[in-house]
Amino acid sequence: MVNKNRALYIFKYLWEHTDENHPADTKSIMEYLESLGIPTARKTVAENISELQNAGLDVVCSRSRQNEYFIGSRQLELAELKLIVDAVQAAKFISPKKSRQLIDKVSALASSHQAQELKRNLYVNGKVKTNNEKVYYTVDMLHTAIQTHKTVTFKYVEYTADKKKVYKHKGQIYILSPYDMVWSNDAYYVFGFSESHDKVVKFRVDRIDKAEPAEYPYRPQPDSYHIVDYCRQVFSMYDGILCTVELRCENELMNAVVDRFGEDVQTRKADCAHFIAVVEVSVSPTFFAWVFTYGDQIEILSPQEVRQEYRNRLEAVLNQENG
């Protein structure tokens, strides 16, 4: 029976140990088979590899010096695997332990030589990994609920002033009809209709605890719900009053405005050095912080109440520094 599976063992060896830069010759393949107690000959190895090729597997034969074999194409190229590994390392919502486990699984898609290149120490400035091991599975459960239009229940965690984790609203059970998952500012959020809020809200996934599928009636998405527009309007996932704001910006900030609001943002020329951007935003501290980032390069023109609120916040900061 082992001899009949010789071709599969050869493929396993080639998959794990070869790539374009590290082919295996017939002798090394025979030595591997012999270590498993499988007698073989050069002719048999060539025949088995032909069987693999005829079955549609991309086993490449190089005849530059002698017959050398390697796996040609894999499901993911090495450059793509590196991007995945970097994303896993950078993801704040994946714990260090789960990150290591996931990277080990991703590395199994490469040869042993390529896997060494996937052992990357990516430094991500200011990044702190979560210690919540359950996030990995909560994300999967929420995606399933979104696809199957099922409700979920959970408790929500927050921190007290002395940095203790407690359940929000004394352990209230939230009932959610989830619509979308959003990865923003290194955190995962779920958007959906919350029964306790009686509207569409968002929750940080890493603060969700004891999440379970539920049998409550699922609320379909309201006609007014558009996730792309919502994400453009909300700064750093911080809710505020939705408002159309006019911003006077220096010309060099067009890249920043397009990055923030998208290519279809409404703009017009103000003068030779400035343009006007008309944007719909959620007026919140994070919006004002974004404006403040650019100092006097951005001016809030209208509406007057937003302009005045920004001025009040600036004056309050100055008074604290001078007080």
Side-chain angles (χ1 to χ4, degrees):
M1 180 62 70
V2 172
N3 290 343
K4 291 182 179 180
N5 293 331
R6 184 188 294 108
L8 295 180
Y9 284 105
I10 292 175
F11 180 75
K12 181 176 184 293
Y13 176 80
L14 295 176
W15 180 268
E16 293 178 350
H17 298 282
T18 72
D19 53 56
E20 184 177 1
N21 298 316
H22 302 88
D25 58 22
T26 302
K27 180 182 177 181
S28 63
I29 296 174
M30 292 174 64
E31 290 175 350
Y32 167 72
L33 293 173
E34 289 171 3
S35 71
L36 299 177
I38 305 175
T40 188
R42 288 181 174 274
K43 181 180 178 182
T44 308
V45 170
E47 290 174 349
N48 289 152
I49 289 178
S50 293
E51 292 175 9
L52 295 172
Q53 293 171 331
N54 293 334
L57 299 174
D58 191 15
V59 179
V60 179
C61 177
S62 173
R63 294 184 174 87
S64 56
R65 300 185 303 275
Q66 57 181 323
N67 283 359
E68 293 182 328
Y69 306 95
F70 62 91
I71 298 298
S73 62
R74 297 173 183 263
Q75 291 176 316
L76 292 169
E77 299 297 331
L78 180 59
E80 295 169 327
L81 293 174
K82 288 179 178 179
L83 287 176
I84 294 173
V85 168
D86 286 350
V88 170
Q89 288 185 319
K92 182 178 177 180
F93 63 90
I94 305 178
S95 70
K97 178 181 176 181
K98 290 299 181 184
S99 294
R100 290 191 295 271
Q101 292 175 346
L102 184 54
I103 290 172
D104 286 343
K105 293 177 181 179
V106 170
S107 298
L109 298 174
S111 72
S112 58
H113 307 282
Q114 293 172 332
Q116 293 300 314
E117 295 188 48
L118 296 177
K119 294 180 178 179
R120 300 153 67 80
N121 294 320
L122 177 69
Y123 175 73
V124 184
N125 186 27
K127 205 58 76 72
V128 179
K129 287 277 195 176
T130 182
N131 291 320
N132 186 353
E133 295 285 339
K134 299 177 183 177
V135 173
Y136 203 70
Y137 305 102
T138 302
V139 169
D140 182 61
M141 189 201 71
L142 289 170
H143 274 300
T144 300
I146 290 170
Q147 293 170 358
T148 58
H149 291 178
K150 298 292 185 180
T151 56
V152 295
T153 59
F154 55 84
K155 294 183 178 182
Y156 204 59
V157 173
E158 62 180 355
Y159 288 91
T160 63
D162 53 357
K163 208 173 67 173
K164 289 184 178 179
K165 281 185 178 181
V166 297
Y167 286 126
K168 194 170 185 177
H169 298 315
K170 299 180 179 179
Q172 173 186 336
I173 302 294
Y174 291 87
I175 304 170
L176 184 73
S177 299
Y179 301 150
D180 288 292
M181 301 285 290
V182 175
W183 187 351
S184 176
N185 295 298
D186 301 321
Y188 238 140
Y189 295 84
V190 59
F191 287 76
F193 191 94
S194 168
E195 296 298 330
S196 57
H197 294 84
D198 196 33
K199 65 177 182 178
V200 175
V201 298
K202 69 181 187 309
F203 292 94
R204 273 266 301 262
V205 175
D206 59 326
R207 294 183 182 172
I208 289 176
D209 192 33
K210 300 187 182 302
E212 296 179 350
E215 297 299 327
Y216 293 97
Y218 185 84
R219 298 261 196 164
Q221 294 184 10
D223 293 337
S224 59
Y225 173 77
H226 301 285
I227 187 61
V228 175
D229 293 340
Y230 193 90
C231 288
R232 286 179 181 173
Q233 296 157 0
V234 177
F235 276 76
S236 301
M237 296 292 108
Y238 194 110
D239 288 330
I241 300 174
L242 199 62
C243 183
T244 300
V245 177
E246 278 194 327
L247 303 173
R248 183 175 180 268
C249 312
E250 290 188 4
N251 287 340
E252 66 184 66
L253 294 186
M254 183 60 79
N255 286 338
V257 171
V258 170
D259 287 344
R260 178 65 259 182
F261 299 102
E263 292 185 356
D264 57 348
V265 60
Q266 181 182 342
T267 62
R268 67 179 187 272
K269 184 176 180 179
D271 53 48
C272 62
H274 300 84
F275 66 92
I276 305 296
V278 181
V279 297
E280 191 171 26
V281 301
S282 181
V283 179
S284 64
T286 46
F287 164 65
F288 292 126
W290 179 80
V291 174
F292 182 76
T293 299
Y294 298 98
D296 59 0
Q297 291 180 289
I298 295 182
E299 179 185 0
I300 299 175
L301 298 180
S302 68
Q304 183 59 37
E305 57 269 24
V306 176
R307 180 182 172 91
Q308 186 60 48
E309 183 178 351
Y310 183 54
R311 176 177 293 176
N312 293 342
R313 289 176 179 271
L314 293 177
E315 290 176 352
V317 172
L318 290 174
N319 290 337
Q320 287 180 351
E321 291 181 350
N322 297 329

